């Protein structure tokens, strides 16, 4: 009998080895160790065998037992795969529908707390806004929404890093009061457009202008999953597919103009569409870029200062942007 043991498949555990031995020995005491689920395997074998025949039928029995073991392993694997699949589908579904889990809300909160701790967020207003508009709803599924870095969103564009969103909101917050008008040029994912809309409220206007139609459509979806959805439904928040270098004259003049892509020089149309007392925040430059803060004085003159060195994607034509793909 021990001569057969080396033929026992390695994956059989000791409990299953005991089934082998019981089958060969076919004594009542060893049989009683056989789990009932295996007993059907043994009955026909036991009845058609004698002790002399034992060495002959054992090899026949092995494939049956192996099959049973394999079948139960496959069943377990099958069940585990199903559970995993269901989990993935439901996670995708909830992420698609914008139901953020408690964990993701906590992570967004953690990100905002870090930005406050490092002094990037300086005001309660901006902290509240970035907590309310969850970044996780605006990044492509599968990327890391809560790490402080820009992320690719396709079409040679990126969602800006959280610290840049926070910096721009801090620079613009006094020009984003309820009832004011905000223009977001190169709105990309729509994250800042949604924040602007929340700050100016239902009596104000927030306009996003994006020149890649697919990004414009995706940003509308993102906004609809966020806390800014009622404002979009109410008409005070909208996204348009157009060349943002021309601004959006229909609703000009604006209290705030934010540009999310680097221009080689400040487009004149944007300066023209800025209200006296209003502010533009725009990255300017090609390889070396600076974030410029431009204030229009009541007499129409402008004052410009540099806030920081930055790195943004270029404010360009649609074909030039897509050509780089
Ligand atoms: N604030 C955005 C930044 C997106 S990246 C965010 O965080 O999601 C800059 C965006 O500007 C890209 O989506 C790009 O497609 C867009 N863009 C570049 N040139 C443009 C132009 N001339 N008109 C409108 N959008 C432009």
């Amino acid at each position: 009998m021990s001569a057969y043991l080396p033929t026992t498949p390695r994956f059989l555990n000791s409990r299953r080895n005991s089934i082998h031995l019981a089958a060969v020995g076919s004594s009542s005491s060893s049989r009683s160790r056989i789990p009932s689920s295996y007993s059907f395997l043994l009955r026909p074998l036991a009845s058609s065998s004698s002790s002399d025949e034992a060495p002959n039928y054992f090899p026949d029995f092995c494939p049956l037992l192996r099959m049973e073991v394999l079948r139960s392993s496959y069943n377990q694997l099958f069940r585990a795969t199903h559970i995993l699949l269901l989990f993935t589908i439901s996670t995708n579904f909830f992420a698609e529908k914008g139901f953020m889990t408690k964990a993701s809300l906590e992570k967004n909160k953690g990100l905002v707390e870090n930005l406050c701790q490092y002094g990037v967020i300086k005001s309660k207003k901006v902290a509240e806004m970035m907590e309310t508009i969850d970044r996780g709803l605006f990044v492509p599924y599968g990327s890391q929404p809560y790490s402080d870095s820009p992320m690719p969103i396709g079409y040679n564009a990126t969602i800006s890093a959280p610290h840049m969103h926070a910096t721009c909101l801090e620079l613009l917050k006094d020009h984003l009061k309820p009832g004011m008008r905000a223009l977001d040029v190169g709105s990309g994912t729509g994250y800042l457009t949604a924040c602007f809309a929340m700050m100016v409220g239902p009596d104000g206007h927030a306009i996003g202008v994006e020149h890649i139609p697919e990004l414009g459509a995706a940003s509308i979806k993102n906004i609809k999953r966020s806390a800014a959805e009622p404002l979009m439904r109410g008409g005070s928040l909208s996204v348009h597919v157009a060349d943002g270098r021309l601004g959006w004259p229909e609703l000009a003049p604006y209290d705030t103009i934010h540009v999310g892509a680097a221009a080689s020089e400040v487009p004149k149309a944007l300066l023209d569409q800025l209200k006296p007392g209003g502010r533009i925040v725009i990255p300017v430059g090609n390889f070396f870029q600076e974030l410029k803060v431009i204030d229009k004085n009541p007499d129409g003159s402008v004052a410009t200062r540099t806030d920081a060195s930055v790195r943004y994607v270029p404010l360009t034509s649609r074909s030039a942007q897509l050509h780089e793909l």
Side-chain angles (χ1 to χ4, degrees), residues 135 138 153-161 165 184-192 209-212 215 242-245 258-261 312-318 321:
R135 185 177 168 85
F138 289 79
I153 55 172
Y155 308 93
N156 283 327
T158 52
I159 179 171
S160 302
H165 283 159
D184 186 19
V185 171
S187 48
T189 59
Y191 181 86
L192 278 181
V209 179
E210 168 56 54
H211 71 160
I212 304 291
L215 291 180
D243 186 346
R245 291 172 294 186
H258 167 261
V259 184
Y312 278 70
V313 302
L315 185 73
T316 183
S317 68
R318 189 185 301 164
Q321 185 172 327

Side-chain angles (χ1 to χ4, degrees), residues 63-132:
L64 271 176
L65 187 58
R66 273 196 207 108
M67 267 175 60
E68 175 63 10
V69 170
L70 280 176
R71 199 186 308 140
S72 77
S73 309
Y74 277 131
N75 281 346
Q76 279 171 14
L77 193 70
F78 197 62
R79 246 177 261 141
T81 314
H82 262 78
I83 290 167
L84 196 69
L85 199 69
L86 268 173
F87 177 74
T88 313
I89 291 170
S90 57
T91 310
N92 282 354
F93 174 80
F94 288 124
E96 262 287 303
K97 294 287 167 202
F99 296 113
M100 300 309 292
T101 62
K102 199 169 170 235
S104 60
L105 290 175
E106 284 300 314
K107 281 184 190 162
N108 191 55
K109 203 168 174 221
L111 170 70
V112 173
E113 278 167 9
N114 277 344
L115 292 170
C116 290
Q117 210 175 325
Y118 285 102
V120 185
I121 296 178
K122 299 177 179 77
S123 63
K124 206 170 159 227
K125 195 173 172 184
V126 171
E128 277 174 2
M129 194 41 53
M130 290 186 72
E131 258 192 50
T132 309

